[in-house]
Amino acid sequence: MYTFFELTQDNIKEIYTVTGSYFEYPAHLHQKIEVFILLNGKYDVCLNGTPIQLTGGDILFIDSYVIHSYSHLKNKNDGIVIII
């Protein structure tokens, strides 16, 4: 699996938020802390090679430099990503 350092996030000085229905992102890492709030639906997430399935209402905290990726399952999802 290819992993990349997401330098663009580390260059943003403000708190970054995005809301949406389909978060797909390949394996990456960055200095900032990331919070993923899944409002409804199901998501597959991978943290340092360990797969995790989130369901609606779950909140995931991703620490600095943790390799992570998102892959939505084929259903209705709503989530929020906050990068601090």
Side-chain angles (χ1 to χ4, degrees):
M1 169 180 25
Y2 174 75
T3 302
F4 69 96
F5 186 82
E6 190 182 7
L7 184 60
T8 55
Q9 280 302 332
D10 288 343
N11 288 332
I12 297 172
K13 302 303 178 201
E14 299 84 22
I15 294 175
Y16 176 83
T17 62
V18 63
T19 60
S21 297
Y22 299 103
F23 296 101
E24 284 276 351
Y25 216 77
H28 67 287
L29 68 148
H30 40 74
Q31 180 181 7
K32 293 187 174 186
I33 295 170
E34 189 164 331
V35 181
F36 182 63
I37 304 166
L38 185 59
L39 302 173
N40 60 57
K42 293 183 180 179
Y43 251 85
D44 284 333
V45 179
C46 191
L47 298 177
N48 284 332
T50 302
I52 298 170
Q53 188 175 87
L54 302 178
T55 57
D58 287 346
I59 300 174
L60 179 66
F61 294 89
I62 304 168
D63 206 357
S64 299
Y65 303 110
V66 170
I67 299 171
H68 57 287
S69 63
Y70 297 109
S71 177
H72 73 85
L73 302 176
K74 297 192 184 303
N75 56 13
K76 176 67 175 153
N77 303 289
D78 287 304
I80 302 167
V81 173
I82 304 167
I83 302 178
I84 305 166

